[in-house]
């Protein structure tokens, strides 16, 4: 009998069905992941879309079940800007958020640099104190702090009790910057020192250019926190309408226009818009800075 030998093609099973199965699984996985992503995006975007559409409705339509404006009332935003004090709230918020952010970044960088790159007795204790300050609720110290700023310094009715402390650093900002600076190799700092650079020059010329993402993340966190702060202005500036910020003034605006939902939504959009724009243009540096802070502890 003649034995028929199998050809190599017959010995190796066809891989075409396996490839089609793997392709279908990959396609289904892609559809599932992107469907979840779209659902999550809609979950966050739809409330803002609702607020935006309501802000462009007429007074009567804003109280109805309509979702799309019958007539696009762009004049609602003009009415909000014409509200007495609204531009003052804008100015105060810009001063509070802008100046506070600058002071926080400038004062937190040297402390974070020392905790990240210096070796000195008590460094771990200092870091523990910074972390403990992050865990301390502001409501715990609000009464003694208010008595100090209002009774001793006479600064009640202003935003200075909120701005001045930022010149002495912020615990969260120091910790976040310290974590980011830990990712910068010590070889760069040592090389600068060998070349004769002092610590200040090393910080400014070597470390800061490499720490831009971390600094951007800290600045954005602080800017958003100050822009949306309601508790602080309520404690220190509530007695003086000329020192109100947008977050606190919006509450007063809503009380005065509690039946004009279109105007209330228009004011809400104007309060949210700067924060959204800032994050839109700085999101790359923000995400990079937040991501890299956890690389090395």
């Amino acid at each position: 009998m003649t034995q028929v030998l199998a050809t190599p093609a017959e010995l190796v099973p066809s891989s075409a069905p396996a490839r089609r199965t793997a392709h279908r699984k990959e396609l289904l996985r892609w559809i599932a992941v992107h469907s979840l992503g779209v659902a999550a995006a809609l979950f966050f975007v739809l409330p803002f879309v609702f607020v935006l559409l309501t802000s462009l409705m007429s007074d009567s339509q804003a109280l109805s079940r309509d979702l799309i404006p019958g007539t696009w009332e762009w004049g609602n935003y003009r009415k909000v800007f014409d509200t007495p004090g609204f531009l003052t709230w804008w100015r105060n918020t810009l001063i509070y958020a802008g100046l506070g952010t600058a002071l926080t970044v400038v004062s937190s960088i040297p402390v974070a640099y020392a905790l990240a790159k210096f070796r000195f007795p008590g460094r771990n204790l200092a870091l523990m104190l910074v972390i403990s300050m992050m865990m301390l609720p502001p409501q715990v110290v609000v009464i003694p702090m208010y008595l100090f700023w209002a009774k001793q310094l006479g600064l009640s009715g202003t935003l200075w009790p909120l701005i001045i402390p930022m010149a002495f650093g912020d615990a969260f900002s120091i910790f976040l910057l310290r974590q980011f600076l830990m990712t910068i190799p010590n070889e760069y700092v040592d090389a600068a020192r060998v070349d004769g650079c002092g610590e200040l020059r090393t910080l400014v010329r070597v470390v800061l250019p490499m720490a831009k993402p971390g600094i951007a993340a800290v600045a954005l966190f602080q800017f958003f926190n100050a822009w949306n702060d309601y508790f602080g202005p309520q404690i220190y500036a509530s007695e003086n309408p000329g020192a109100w910020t947008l977050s606190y003034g919006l509450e007063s605006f809503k009380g005065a226009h509690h039946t004009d939902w279109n105007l209330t939504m228009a004011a809400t959009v104007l309060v949210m818009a700067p924060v959204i724009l800032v994050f839109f243009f700085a999101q790359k540096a923000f995400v990079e800075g937040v991501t890299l802070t956890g690389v090395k502890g």
Side-chain angles (χ1 to χ4, degrees):
M1 295 179 64
T2 303
Q3 185 177 6
V4 180
L5 298 177
T7 63
E10 293 174 342
L11 292 175
V12 179
S14 176
S15 61
R19 285 199 302 267
R20 286 196 296 268
T21 301
H23 178 71
R24 283 196 296 268
K25 289 182 178 179
E26 187 65 26
L27 179 61
L28 290 175
R29 186 181 298 110
W30 184 90
I31 294 174
V33 171
H34 284 75
S35 298
L36 291 175
V38 170
L42 291 175
F43 179 79
F44 289 102
V45 170
L46 285 179
F48 177 76
V49 173
F50 173 77
V51 171
L52 180 62
L53 292 177
T54 305
S55 69
L56 296 172
M57 293 180 179
S58 60
D59 294 341
S60 58
Q61 190 181 10
L63 298 175
S64 66
R65 296 183 178 181
D66 296 338
L67 297 178
I68 305 299
T71 57
W72 300 84
E73 301 289 341
W74 295 99
N76 290 339
Y77 291 94
R78 170 63 65 180
K79 294 179 182 178
V80 172
F81 271 111
D82 290 340
T83 301
F86 192 81
L87 292 179
T88 301
W89 304 341
W90 260 86
R91 181 199 64 197
N92 294 337
T93 306
L94 287 175
I95 294 175
Y96 176 29
L99 184 58
T101 300
L103 290 175
T104 299
V105 171
V106 172
S107 59
S108 299
I109 287 176
V111 182
Y113 175 66
L115 291 176
K117 299 302 180 183
F118 288 0
R119 298 291 184 269
F120 57 90
R123 189 184 70 156
N124 292 334
L125 177 61
L127 181 60
M128 290 179 60
L129 290 176
V130 171
I131 296 176
S132 64
M133 291 301 297
M134 293 171 52
M135 300 178 182
L136 183 66
Q139 292 81 3
V140 174
V141 297
V142 65
I143 294 179
M145 291 301 296
Y146 178 80
L147 293 176
F148 171 75
W149 290 107
K151 303 300 182 181
Q152 301 298 326
L153 301 181
L155 292 177
S156 61
T158 69
L159 294 174
W160 290 114
L162 301 174
I163 297 175
I164 294 176
M166 296 182 185
F168 300 94
D170 173 71
F172 176 75
S173 301
I174 292 172
F175 178 77
L176 193 65
L177 279 172
R178 183 258 180 189
Q179 293 300 104
F180 186 89
L181 294 179
M182 291 289 290
T183 65
I184 298 177
N186 292 329
E187 287 75 9
Y188 292 101
V189 178
D190 295 336
R193 292 168 178 168
V194 170
D195 289 340
C197 291
E199 295 299 340
L200 180 59
R201 188 177 180 185
T202 301
L203 173 63
V204 175
R205 301 293 297 274
V206 178
V207 176
L208 292 188
M210 302 175 66
K212 287 181 180 179
I215 296 173
V218 167
L220 287 176
F221 270 123
Q222 186 60 40
F223 183 84
F224 295 159
N225 181 65
W227 187 275
N228 297 319
D229 186 18
Y230 178 84
F231 181 74
Q234 181 189 31
I235 296 298
Y236 294 104
S238 58
E239 62 191 65
N240 180 19
W244 287 0
T245 59
L246 283 172
S247 58
Y248 189 76
L250 183 62
E251 181 68 23
S252 174
F253 184 91
K254 185 177 69 174
H257 300 272
H258 61 279
T259 58
D260 301 326
W261 284 106
N262 54 338
L263 297 182
T264 301
M265 296 302 179
T268 303
V269 171
L270 291 175
V271 172
M272 293 189 301
V275 176
I276 294 174
L277 290 175
V278 169
F279 181 78
F280 178 80
F281 288 106
Q283 59 179 322
K284 182 178 179 181
F286 177 78
V287 173
E288 183 180 357
V290 173
T291 303
L292 293 179
T293 52
V295 173
K296 185 176 181 181

